Every structure is written in structure tokens, then in C-alpha cells.
């Protein structure tokens, strides 16, 4: 009998080379538990993201080869699974543009007038990376004094001068800081000082060629004109560094334009709003309701599918199979899952209705997958790990509010909190603040009657508003042009650990029982977080 190796194991140690053989022959069940056992709520109670972990697999490929392409509707796929919430502190055109450039999708909120929302959709569709499509133009009659004042207001000093003073009118000159800086005759018109010696480029020029021309011409601005000399856009030297290539940008096949998505409610007047959004070029509409399984939403989905066959419609929110079935049968091209898990949400506390998010995601996605309907895991995402867990439980994409509200691209400015930290405002759409917002559609004096918040929570017309969300702030995070690539790299590394080369492979392997899970006790959750340190900095990426 051979001695125990290092005192461990049976006295007669097995040949180590047979480890894989023995694993295969004597352990028919993989280590850990399968997804069905994990989510079976009769055993475990409603599961949340923090209640479990995914067990590691085998790494046989580099992380940067992990493919994150994923469908957001039956017809449209994205290169990364990240969506920003239709909330008025999260997604307006700037967020929608930059998250789409990074391969995700921003859903423009509807707590604004239909015209304002349509204008934001138009900005997303018209966006061409590097080209300023709405430059501030001035008329030849403007005085030097007025230009100086305009410069103060805009914070920059180069303005194209056009015949009518607006875009799409004949370009006659350009006025720069240098032209007006030492010109003290404030009543002179700009024509006396503007440069007429212009280097221009014709509409249709590629960004690369335009950038080359900006460099070689040594001018600060390159006006882009049509065949009649009318100004259509501008390229600025100071933006050269920002004119990066975005290879993952979300575009439909054969289109140069970014994909645009926006939210609406299910009231009759939302049909008028939708027409404006469609005219502006909308690709995907999300029906924004905290409880999507309603006669209003089913009727709206049918109406949209009949009236706009080219428009994809995402229904929701849902958390059960039964809710999902109604919307799938009505024709939804995608579903949004989550009720009460949002970071600014008090729905579960106030309404006693909702579902822990991990349980909701698995139960809905496993049903919707049978009909090829992709699902969004919406709300409760606090870190990269939560994103991966939502995706492992069957979601095709994840939607984030609080995590993106602190970025530069969300609406509003950062401010210093009472504690001295740089923060940005973030509020639930069911908070009293958002529901009372006078900017709301058709707002006027009685805005309670019709705004996105009240509509989402079926509170329109109520004498007393019952809040389902809170209003607060989140830490400033800097630009999503850094944050989203961090999320992406984090998800790729996580899938590498799990041993899957793509989201599609992970979803398949979860359902086949090859990707395994482990429940976490309360003490396991403590163990899995930083513990025992006197103090620490939690810097997430650099
Ligand atoms: P977060 O990413 O955890 O902050 O959650 C964002 C999600 O919360 C949104 O996409 C909505 O589904 C949901 N939500 C937004 N406003 C409210 C609210 O006032 N009450 C409840 N849920 C909300």
C-alpha cells in the first residue's frame, strides 16, 4: 500500500493521469447545479442576482475573442448587449448616440413633448460621427458685438456665415476668434472681418478624407457644402481627436445611420406621438409600462404591427410566463423583463407586486425563447457580474438606469453633493418628481393627467399620486466612451472564465446543463465581497 500523498486522499493514490477518465466514468453529473434547479422557486424562494454564482469552465481562448453579438428584437441584433433606460435622467439623444456608437442601444424617454422626443430621434438618425450636422450659423447682418456675445454663450468662436443665417443656405464666409478678438468696432457687420478664403468639402466626403483635409488646410473648421454651395455640415479641427472609429456601432445592415429606439405609453395620444417618431426615422419602439400585460398594451402592439410593419415593438414590463404569453401572442418582437428590481424603485414595497429579478428573467426568457422572442433584463444591474448573470439566465440584453445615470452623456450636469462628492441626479419615472414634471407631454397646468411617469404607472387622472420610485443622485462616472468598453471587457473576461466563446454559446450551454451554478448563502455573499480590510479604494478600470 502506498502512503497518502501529503497526507491527503486514500492510502492507495490513483494515477493522476487517469483523473479525466475517472471524472467521466464515475461522475455522470457535473459539479454544481443546473439552471432549472437553481431557479426552482419552490426550493429556494425568488432568486436575485446576488443569490448565486456561475461555476468556472475551461479557458481555451483569449477574452478579446469572446463574441457579444446578440438580438434585441426578432429582426435586429447589436454587437454588445447594453441598453440604456428610457428615463429622463438617463437617455436623451446624446446617450442614445454614444451608446449606439459603442454597440449598444439607448431608448429615448418620453417625459417630454412628442416634438421634442421626435427631434431627439432625428438627431440620432442624422448623426454622422465627426460631422457637426447642426452647427450654429450666423447671418451677414450680425454685428461683431453680437458675435462676441454669441461666443460667450456658446463657449466656442467659429461660426459659418450663410445668406439666411441658417443651415442649408449659401455659405459666404467663416468668422473665427482671430477675426474678432481685436476688432473693437462692435457695430461693424461680420462681413467686414470674416474670412472669405474658404476651404470646403462636398457633401458625401468620408470622415477620413475630411479629417485629412482639416489637417492639410491648417484651418480650424471645414465647411461641408452641397452642389449649390449651401452649407450642410461642419468638421472641426478641435474634434479631430474625438472623431474615432467605432467599429461596433449599432446600424441596420446596409445603413449608415445609427439604430434609434424610443419609449411611448399606451394611451390613444401615444399613437400621434408614435407617428412623429416614425417620421423622424424610429427603428424600435418600447411600450413603457410597469405592468405590461394589459388590454391597452395588447391593443397597441396589434395596432403598431398592422400600421408600421417595418417598426419593431418591444412590450413589457413582464415578470411571468403568463404576462409574456399575452404580449407574444399580440405580436411583440421583444420583451422587457423586470418589476420592482430597479435601483430607484419602491414598487415591491408599495404595491406588494413584482418578482425578484433573476427568477423573473429565467422564467420569462425560457418561455419566450420557444417563440424566438429576445428579452431585455431590465433593472437591478449594479455591476458586470449582474450583467453576466442576467445574460446567463437567458436575457439577450440588459437595460441599465442607475449605472449609466452618472455618465457624462446622461441629461443634466454634475454637481457637488452635501458630502462633497461629484454626483448627477437620478430619479425613478414613478417618483413624485418625475410624475409631476411640467415638461411632460401635453403637460400644462394639469400635468398629472398626462406624463410619461403617470402613464407608466397607470396613475393618470388620479387625484393623489402614489409614488413607485424615488428621486436622488448617483456618483459621477465620467464618459460612457470609457465605461461601456469597461463593461464589455468585463463581460468578455467573465465568459472566458465560464468557458464560452459567445453569448449564444453560453445560453445554449446553460440550457443543456453544461454551464453550472452554485447558490450563495448569506455568509458566502460576505465572503465574495471585500472583507477584513481597514480601508480600501475600489477603482474599477483604468
Ligand atoms: P436600475 O438600472 O436598477 O436603476 O433600473 C432601471 C429600471 O428601473 C428602468 O429601466 C425601469 O424599468 C425601472 N424604473 C424606472 N423608474 C422606476 C420607478 O419609479 N419605479 C420602479 N421602477 C422604475
Amino acid at each position: 500500500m502506498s502512503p497518502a500523498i501529503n497526507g491527503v486522499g486514500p492510502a492507495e493514490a490513483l494515477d493522476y493521469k487517469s483523473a479525466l477518465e475517472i471524472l467521466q466514468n464515475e461522475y455522470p453529473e457535473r459539479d454544481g447545479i443546473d439552471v432549472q434547479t437553481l431557479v426552482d422557486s419552490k426550493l429556494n424562494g425568488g432568486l436575485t442576482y446576488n443569490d448565486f454564482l456561475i461555476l468556472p469552465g475551461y479557458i481555451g481562448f483569449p477574452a478579446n475573442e469572446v463574441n457579444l453579438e446578440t438580438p434585441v428584437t426578432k429582426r435586429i441584433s447589436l454587437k454588445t448587449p447594453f441598453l440604456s433606460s428610457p428615463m429622463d435622467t438617463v437617455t436623451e439623444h446624446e446617450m442614445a448616440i454614444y451608446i449606439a456608437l459603442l454597440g449598444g442601444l439607448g431608448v429615448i424617454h418620453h417625459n417630454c413633448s412628442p416634438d421634442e422626443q421626435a427631434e431627439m430621434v432625428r438627431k440620432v438618425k442624422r448623426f454622422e460621427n465627426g460631422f457637426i450636422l447642426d452647427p450654429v450659423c450666423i447671418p451677414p447682418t450680425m454685428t461683431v458685438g453680437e458675435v462676441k456675445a454669441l461666443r460667450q454663450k456658446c463657449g466656442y468662436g467659429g461660426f459659418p456665415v450663410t445668406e439666411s443665417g441658417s443651415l442649408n443656405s449659401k455659405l459666404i464666409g467663416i468668422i473665427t476668434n482671430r477675426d474678432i478678438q481685436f476688432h473693437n468696432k462692435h457695430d461693424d457687420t461680420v462681413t467686414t472681418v470674416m474670412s472669405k478664403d474658404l476651404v470646403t468639402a462636398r457633401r458625401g466626403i468620408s470622415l477620413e478624407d475630411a479629417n485629412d483635409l482639416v489637417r492639410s488646410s491648417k484651418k480650424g473648421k471645414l465647411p461641408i457644402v452641397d452642389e449649390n454651395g449651401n452649407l450642410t455640415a461642419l468638421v472641426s479641427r478641435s474634434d479631430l481627436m474625438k472623431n474615432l472609429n467605432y467599429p461596433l456601432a449599432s446600424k441596420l445592415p446596409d445603413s449608415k445611420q445609427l439604430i434609434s429606439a424610443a419609449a411611448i405609453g399606451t394611451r390613444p395620444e401615444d399613437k400621434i406621438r408614435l407617428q412623429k417618431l416614425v417620421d423622424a426615422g424610429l427603428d424600435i419602439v418600447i411600450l413603457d409600462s410597469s405592468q405590461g400585460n394589459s388590454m391597452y398594451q395588447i391593443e397597441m402592439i396589434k395596432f403598431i404591427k398592422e400600421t408600421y410593419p417595418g417598426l419593431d415593438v418591444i412590450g413589457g414590463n413582464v415578470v411571468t410566463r403568463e404576462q409574456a404569453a399575452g404580449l407574444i401572442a399580440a405580436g411583440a418582437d421583444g420583451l422587457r423583463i423586470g418589476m420592482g428590481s430597479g435601483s430607484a424603485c419602491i414598487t415591491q414595497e408599495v404595491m406588494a407586486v413584482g418578482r425578484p429579478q433573476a427568477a423573473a428573467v429565467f422564467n420569462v426568457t425560457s418561455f419566450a425563447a420557444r417563440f424566438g422572442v429576445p428579452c431585455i433584463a431590465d433593472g437591478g444591474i449594479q455591476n458586470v457580474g449582474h450583467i453576466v448573470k442576467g445574460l446567463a439566465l437567458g436575457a439577450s440584453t440588459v437595460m441599465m438606469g442607475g449605472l449609466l445615470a452618472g455618465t457624462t452623456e446622461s441629461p443634466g450636469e454634475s454637481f457637488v453633493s452635501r458630502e462633497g462628492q461629484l454626483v448627477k441626479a437620478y430619479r425613478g419615472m414613478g417618483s413624485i418628481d418625475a410624475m409631476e414634471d411640467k415638461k411632460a407631454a401635453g403637460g400644462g397646468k394639469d400635468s398629472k393627467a398626462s406624463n410619461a411617469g403617470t402613464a407608466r404607472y397607470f396613475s393618470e387622472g388620479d387625484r393623489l399620486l402614489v409614488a413607485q420610485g424615488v428621486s436622488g443622485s448617483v456618483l459621477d462616472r465620467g464618459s460612457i466612451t470609457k465605461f461601456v468598453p469597461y463593461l464589455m471587457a468585463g463581460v468578455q473576461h467573465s465568459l472566458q472564465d465560464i468557458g464560452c466563446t459567445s453569448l449564444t454559446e453560453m445560453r445554449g450551454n446553460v440550457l443543456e446543463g453544461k454551464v453550472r451554478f452554485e447558490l450563495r448563502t448569506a455568509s458566502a455573499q460576505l465572503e465574495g465581497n471585500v472583507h477584513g480590510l481597514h480601508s480600501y479604494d475600489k477603482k474599477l478600470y483604468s
Side-chain angles (χ1 to χ4, degrees), residues 435-502:
M435 290 198 287
E436 283 187 344
D437 199 320
K438 296 282 190 270
K439 279 193 310 183
K445 274 191 212 141
D446 187 18
S447 65
K448 278 181 195 178
S450 55
N451 91 1
T454 50
R456 186 169 204 272
Y457 297 94
F458 298 100
S459 299
E460 50 222 329
D462 287 0
R463 281 165 166 243
L464 186 97
L465 293 175
V466 176
Q468 290 197 40
V470 300
S471 174
S473 63
V474 291
L475 281 181
D476 184 288
R477 281 190 186 277
S479 170
I480 64 159
T481 56
K482 285 219 164 137
F483 187 58
V484 170
Y486 155 70
L487 297 181
M488 184 179 164
V491 173
Q492 285 180 311
H493 278 278
S494 169
L495 262 72
Q496 184 192 39
D497 277 350
I498 297 166
C500 294
T501 54
S502 68

Side-chain angles (χ1 to χ4, degrees), residues 85 87 336 342-343 345 378-380 401-402 426 428-430 456-457 468-469:
S85 291
M87 299 172 73
R336 188 173 162 211
S343 59
C345 172
D378 170 27
Y426 179 53
M429 295 309 295
R456 186 169 204 272
Y457 297 94
Q468 290 197 40

Side-chain angles (χ1 to χ4, degrees), residues 107-295:
V107 184
I108 295 171
H109 75 85
H110 56 123
N111 212 19
C112 55
S113 73
D115 287 326
E116 284 166 337
Q117 196 185 13
E119 188 49 34
M120 292 194 254
V121 169
R122 205 165 279 120
K123 282 183 176 160
V124 176
K125 295 308 291 180
R126 288 184 60 220
F127 181 82
E128 279 182 67
N129 184 33
F131 292 92
I132 305 166
L133 297 177
D134 50 0
V136 176
C137 302
I138 59 174
T141 48
M142 196 177 246
T143 65
V144 170
E146 285 168 334
V147 176
K148 284 187 175 175
L150 187 63
R151 181 174 167 257
Q152 288 282 328
K153 197 171 138 214
C154 297
Y156 54 86
F159 303 104
V161 185
T162 63
E163 263 176 13
S164 72
S166 54
L167 197 65
N168 297 318
S169 156
K170 198 162 181 85
L171 178 73
I172 52 180
I174 268 214
I175 188 125
T176 64
N177 269 342
R178 237 179 304 159
D179 301 321
I180 53 171
Q181 200 175 10
F182 301 113
H183 194 92
N184 292 327
K185 293 185 187 156
H186 283 186
D187 292 335
D188 283 354
T189 62
V190 289
T191 45
T192 51
V193 284
M194 70 186 185
S195 346
K196 295 175 195 138
D197 152 37
L198 301 175
V199 176
T200 61
R202 276 291 280 278
R203 184 163 60 179
I205 186 173
S206 70
L207 179 60
E208 214 180 347
D209 290 346
N211 282 341
D212 285 347
L213 204 52
V214 171
R215 280 191 203 96
S216 62
S217 70
K218 302 205 166 59
K219 303 263 185 201
K221 301 265 187 284
L222 175 70
I224 312 291
V225 292
D226 66 12
E227 52 287 0
N228 301 316
N230 295 322
L231 182 76
T232 61
L234 201 65
V235 176
S236 169
R237 172 178 285 273
S238 56
D239 285 342
L240 275 185
M241 292 306 294
K242 284 198 258 160
N243 298 350
L244 300 173
N245 211 0
Y246 291 96
L248 302 177
S250 302
K251 295 178 181 174
L252 292 176
D254 304 323
S255 166
K256 282 181 161 182
Q257 296 179 324
L258 296 175
I259 297 174
S260 73
I264 61 168
T266 51
R267 300 160 299 182
E269 57 268 35
D270 282 300
K271 293 183 179 168
I272 301 165
R273 177 184 285 265
L274 181 61
Q275 183 61 54
K276 289 182 189 260
L277 302 181
V278 170
D279 291 343
L282 190 70
D283 301 298
I284 301 174
V285 64
I286 289 201
L287 301 183
D288 192 23
S289 171
S290 60
Q291 208 292 49
N293 191 22
S294 67
M295 57 187 181

Side-chain angles (χ1 to χ4, degrees), residues 381-395:
I381 301 286
Q382 293 167 13
N383 49 45
V384 178
H386 288 168
I387 295 178
V388 177
K389 289 174 182 179
L391 298 170
L393 293 177

